[in-house]
Amino acid sequence: MDSSGDLGSVLGVPELTLPQAAGPAAGPLGLDPRIVWAVGGEASGDAPGRLTVASLIATRAKLAGVDPASIVTEPGQFESLDPDHLPVNQKRFPVGSPQYQALEAQIAPIITGAQPPIASYTGFRTHGAASGWNGKAPITTVGGNDFATVPYKY
């Protein structure tokens, strides 16, 4: 192969372009919409509940060394993104809508790291639901969810 081109052009083979997997288009502040839909679907409509869920996502992302979108799309972790609930949350918070923009603006500082998480919780569940961490960690209820700092493995 000479240095004037890539292997495909040297061999006369057309360049192969593979499709790229991509998430939905980002909202006005640049957050992956799946993060906004996860927070909107998991938290009650109040600011403390939303900020606590956003903090849990940011804390898990930091511990795992991954981006927040990887945390919310981890299988079995955020019911609001499962096939039964995602369409509902997409309708509640259409990208670009006033509801979406308000929620994105509320959580973006925590998700992006511009503001520290309000708590370092790593576990959450619907208030009162059974979990493996019953009795193993102090539980705090915020906005209809129970939160605890429990071992977390991504």
Side-chain angles (χ1 to χ4, degrees):
M1 180 172 113
D2 70 25
S3 61
S4 64
D6 65 8
L7 182 59
S9 62
V10 170
L11 296 175
V13 178
E15 184 177 337
L16 176 63
T17 304
L18 298 174
Q20 297 293 316
L29 296 178
L31 291 187
D32 184 312
R34 296 171 295 187
I35 298 167
V36 178
W37 297 327
V39 172
E42 299 291 344
S44 61
D46 64 83
R50 290 175 171 180
L51 294 175
T52 306
V53 172
S55 293
L56 174 129
I57 293 166
T59 299
R60 285 182 175 184
K62 183 177 180 179
L63 289 171
V66 298
D67 63 283
S70 296
I71 296 300
V72 301
T73 58
E74 184 181 3
Q77 295 298 303
F78 288 84
E79 186 177 76
S80 56
L81 297 182
D82 73 23
D84 293 332
H85 295 94
L86 179 59
V88 172
N89 292 309
Q90 289 172 319
K91 286 181 183 176
R92 285 180 61 210
F93 302 99
V95 176
S97 70
Q99 302 91 315
Y100 182 96
Q101 290 180 21
L103 178 54
E104 185 182 35
Q106 191 175 50
I107 66 172
I110 291 173
I111 296 296
T112 62
Q115 172 185 323
I118 63 170
S120 60
Y121 300 123
T122 53
F124 81 113
R125 64 182 185 199
T126 301
H127 178 63
S131 74
W133 36 273
N134 280 344
K136 296 179 182 174
I139 296 170
T140 303
T141 301
V142 181
N145 287 314
D146 293 337
F147 294 87
T149 302
V150 294
Y152 173 72
K153 184 176 180 194
Y154 176 73

